[in-house]
Amino acid sequence: MHEQDSTPNGNPTDRGRRGFLSAAALAATSLVAVSGAASQAYAAPSAGASALRRNPVTAAVTQTGRRRLGSLKVSSIGLGTQTMPGNLYGPVTSRNDMVALIRTAVDQGVTLFDTAEAYGPWESERIVGDALRPVRDDVVIASKFGWDIDPVTGARNGLNSRPDHIRRAVDGMLKRLRTDHIDLLYQHRVDPAVPIEDVADTVKDLVAQGKVLHWGLSEPGLQTVRRAHAILPLTAIQNEYSTLWRGPEENVLPLCEELGIGFVCWAPLGMGFTTGTMSPYFQFTADDRRTAFPRNSRDNLAANMPLVQLLQDWAVRKGATPAQIDLAWLLAQKPWIVPIPSTTRLSHLLENIGAEEVRFTPAELQELNAAVASITIHGERLPPAALAMTGVEAPPRR
């Protein structure tokens, strides 16, 4: 029921990794130059992304793999934009740099860009809209509704997926994204006060109006997935998934395979942990929200370091980086899995998309799967209030 456009396994190749290493080295000292070049390349809209002028610093790393989320074709690795407003992991260099980074991602073959009204709030969508307007027809934009956000203060006042609220939220998204349609619209979290059938019927109307093309659910309950899919077939489920958090393997991934639904991984790098940059001695800044996550306590970071060591060992073995091993591991699990790592740095963007060049033989994948499964992860993945909003079943329709 799923279509595979790129094969995650096969004989290893060093072409992409050599390209990544040389390009990343240049990128580390050339971010400003690249941002300026990217802005110039988009100064006037072109006929398509292929016509845009390429920067020699980044040209060595280009993503070519494509996958299917249901009937929607996307790049094998997308780009998450949650951190781009600068209020999640800490401040970013500048808004212009974030726009330039997204435009560079398009140049490098990324076609899936993930945002949400809650990111910022609203600012992530504005950044994505400004960045992608010149190439709107060449990319896939995913966004999410479901929060009751105060229009003045931006404060979240709980969940709200009532039909009238969904319609207002989507109209706001279209303005911020500077487009007339959203390619993939998710319910950000299941609203325990609104039947999922009411949500699905509302999205179905938006599809009929041409405002939405595909839809999905984020962190939903299993029966809610079935009920939603029966009203309007789902294109994707978006859940956290990485070597650090493998919860979807038990029930969610088998359900996606059964129903022909694609799977999009948020936090595919464990919010930075599996990159090898975090340790018990890692100093979070005062405005880094990761400090609220139990998994990131000093004791739990120390207890989970065997996973980092495993990824580092495999990185040496495959001539890659730990982040690339984690992303390549995800790609190798199913051909309809698409990770969307979020980043605000050009070097990390190039590193992430270079992961599609890391290949595992069947024997290597079996060995790596067994090694990952043997490691016990300590600490909850989310704060208690956020964790309570995952796996929720919508109420029945009366």
Side-chain angles (χ1 to χ4, degrees):
M1 298 177 71
H2 291 280
E3 180 175 340
Q4 179 177 0
D5 287 283
S6 62
T7 304
N9 298 310
N11 294 325
T13 173
D14 291 330
R15 177 183 57 82
R17 293 189 285 286
R18 286 199 304 268
F20 159 72
L21 293 171
S22 60
L26 285 169
T29 58
S30 307
L31 178 58
V32 174
V34 172
S35 298
S39 298
Q40 293 174 9
Y42 281 80
S46 67
S50 61
L52 298 175
R53 178 158 49 88
R54 304 296 300 280
N55 187 285
V57 173
T58 58
V61 183
T62 303
Q63 183 176 207
T64 59
R66 296 294 181 262
R67 294 187 164 208
R68 294 277 182 178
L69 301 172
S71 62
L72 184 61
K73 190 174 184 179
V74 299
S75 53
S76 57
I77 298 173
L79 177 62
T81 64
Q82 184 178 14
T83 56
M84 289 188 177
N87 59 355
L88 187 67
Y89 294 174
V92 299
T93 51
S94 74
R95 187 183 190 279
N96 287 340
D97 282 344
M98 299 304 99
V99 170
L101 184 66
I102 292 173
R103 292 176 174 176
T104 300
V106 176
D107 283 352
Q108 304 315 119
V110 177
T111 67
L112 175 61
F113 296 86
D114 184 90
T115 183
E117 62 171 354
Y119 298 164
W122 308 305
E123 179 60 14
S124 173
E125 288 182 324
R126 294 189 185 106
I127 292 171
V128 170
D130 289 348
L132 297 180
R133 188 181 185 188
V135 290
R136 179 63 188 92
D137 293 338
D138 301 302
V139 297
V140 172
I141 296 177
S143 195
K144 310 175 195 71
F145 69 86
W147 291 96
D148 190 358
I149 304 174
D150 188 293
V152 177
T153 66
R156 296 186 192 181
N157 300 312
L159 298 172
N160 189 345
S161 282
R162 294 191 302 270
D164 59 339
H165 187 81
I166 294 174
R167 295 187 183 97
R168 288 195 300 271
V170 168
D171 285 343
M173 290 177 185
L174 294 174
K175 291 178 182 178
R176 291 186 293 272
L177 291 168
R178 306 179 72 174
T179 184
D180 61 357
H181 69 278
I182 297 167
D183 299 287
L184 177 54
L185 179 71
Y186 293 99
Q187 183 187 40
H188 208 152
R189 290 293 185 270
V190 173
D191 189 335
V194 179
I196 197 63
E197 290 82 1
D198 292 353
V199 176
D201 281 341
T202 304
V203 176
K204 193 172 184 178
D205 288 343
L206 293 169
V207 170
Q209 296 168 30
K211 293 182 178 181
V212 173
L213 302 187
H214 304 265
W215 86 301
L217 301 176
S218 180
E219 299 281 351
L222 299 176
Q223 294 309 309
T224 297
V225 172
R226 291 188 181 277
R227 291 162 54 198
H229 192 68
I231 300 293
L232 180 64
L234 293 159
T235 291
I237 298 299
Q238 184 176 131
N239 279 28
E240 181 178 0
Y241 186 35
S242 70
T243 54
L244 185 63
W245 169 248
R246 296 169 52 231
E249 294 176 354
E250 184 176 358
N251 294 310
V252 178
L253 292 181
L255 181 60
C256 287
E257 188 155 36
E258 174 191 341
L259 299 178
I261 302 171
F263 187 87
V264 174
C265 319
W266 69 268
L269 297 174
M271 302 179 194
F273 181 75
T274 62
T275 66
T277 59
M278 295 168 63
S279 74
Y281 309 102
F282 184 81
Q283 295 295 316
F284 293 99
T285 61
D287 50 1
D288 191 325
R289 296 188 188 179
R290 289 176 293 182
T291 57
F293 293 63
R295 195 171 59 195
N296 292 332
S297 73
R298 178 163 294 187
D299 287 346
N300 286 332
L301 286 173
N304 293 332
M305 287 305 292
L307 176 62
V308 174
Q309 185 61 58
L310 173 67
L311 296 174
Q312 289 176 339
D313 291 345
W314 274 86
V316 172
R317 179 171 170 177
K318 301 298 289 184
T321 69
Q324 289 176 328
I325 295 297
D326 200 4
L327 293 172
W329 177 84
L330 285 169
L331 293 175
Q333 299 307 305
K334 298 290 182 181
W336 36 268
I337 288 177
V338 177
I340 49 167
S342 182
T343 186
T344 60
R345 299 182 183 181
L346 174 62
S347 58
H348 292 169
L349 169 68
L350 299 178
E351 179 181 5
N352 293 342
I353 64 177
E356 76 169 359
E357 295 293 340
V358 179
R359 313 292 177 84
F360 301 112
T361 66
E364 287 176 332
L365 184 59
Q366 183 178 12
E367 179 186 350
L368 179 55
N369 281 339
V372 170
S374 70
I375 297 174
T376 299
I377 300 301
H378 298 259
E380 293 286 1
R381 65 188 179 106
L382 295 170
L387 197 62
M389 293 183 177
T390 66
V392 171
E393 300 291 359
R397 176 186 262 177
R398 301 294 182 183

